[in-house]
C-alpha cells in the first residue's frame, strides 16, 4: 500500500478490492456498486486464483465482446464468488467488474457479461 501510495478503506468505498479466490466472500461485506447516475464508480475486484487453465470450476460466459458462449476453467475459486458477483451485477448498469488472475494469466469478467457455473 505504501509503495503504491494507496490507502486502505472499507469495501463499500474501495475502487479496487484484492482477495483470495479460494476464500469465501463474507456476505456481510458489500463492494461499492456505483449508482444509476454513476455506474462507473462500481469497484473492480481482483481475485487471485490457483489456475485459469486447470479444470476445477467451469464458468460459461456470454455477452458483449464474447462470440457465442465461451468457457473458462478455474482452480482455486470459491463458487460463492460467482453467485455474489451475479447478484451485484443484477441491477445493471451498476455492479462490479471482476478480474480473475493466476501467476501468468488474467481473465476479465465485466459487469456486462453473463457468467454461469457450468457442469
Amino acid at each position: 500500500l505504501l509503495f503504491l501510495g494507496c490507502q486502505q478503506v472499507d469495501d463499500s468505498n474501495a475502487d479496487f478490492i484484492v482477495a483470495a479466490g479460494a476464500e469465501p466472500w463474507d456476505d456481510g461485506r458489500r463492494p461499492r456498486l456505483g449508482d444509476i447516475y454513476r455506474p462507473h464508480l462500481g469497484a473492480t475486484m481482483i481475485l487471485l486464483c490457483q489456475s485459469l487453465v486447470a479444470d476445477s470450476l467451469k464458468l460459461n460466459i456470454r455477452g458483449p465482446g464474447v462470440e457465442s458462449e465461451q468457457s473458462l476453467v478455474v482452480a482455486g475459486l470459491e463458487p460463492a464468488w460467482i453467485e455474489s458477483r451475479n447478484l451485484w451485477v443484477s441491477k445493471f448498469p451498476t455492479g462490479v467488474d471482476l478480474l480473475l488472475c493466476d501467476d501468468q494469466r488474467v481473465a476479465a469478467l465485466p459487469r456486462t457479461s453473463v457468467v454461469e457455473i457450468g457442469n
Side-chain angles (χ1 to χ4, degrees):
L1 294 174
L2 182 62
F3 177 74
L4 295 174
C6 299
Q7 61 185 28
Q8 194 166 356
V9 297
D10 64 281
D11 297 326
S12 62
N13 291 312
D15 293 328
F16 297 92
I17 297 172
V18 179
E23 297 176 14
W25 176 260
D26 177 1
D27 287 334
R29 297 168 55 193
R30 182 173 173 194
R32 190 175 69 193
L33 303 177
D35 60 44
I36 192 69
Y37 301 106
R38 299 168 299 173
H40 60 282
L41 295 180
T44 298
M45 301 188 80
I46 303 163
L47 300 182
L48 309 173
C49 303
Q50 181 182 351
S51 174
L52 297 183
V53 294
D55 192 7
S56 182
L57 176 66
K58 181 179 178 185
L59 303 177
N60 297 319
I61 305 160
R62 62 182 191 282
V66 179
E67 188 174 332
S68 165
E69 181 174 283
Q70 297 294 317
S71 294
L72 175 68
V73 290
V74 184
L77 179 64
E78 178 67 37
W81 278 107
I82 300 303
E83 295 165 9
S84 293
R85 177 250 180 222
N86 289 344
L87 178 67
W88 297 327
V89 303
S90 66
K91 292 183 175 55
F92 182 82
T94 62
V96 298
D97 296 311
L98 190 61
L99 298 175
L100 304 178
C101 306
D102 67 14
D103 290 340
Q104 300 177 4
R105 296 166 205 83
V106 176
L109 303 175
R111 70 190 76 187
T112 56
S113 61
V114 176
V115 180
E116 297 172 335
I117 298 173
N119 300 339

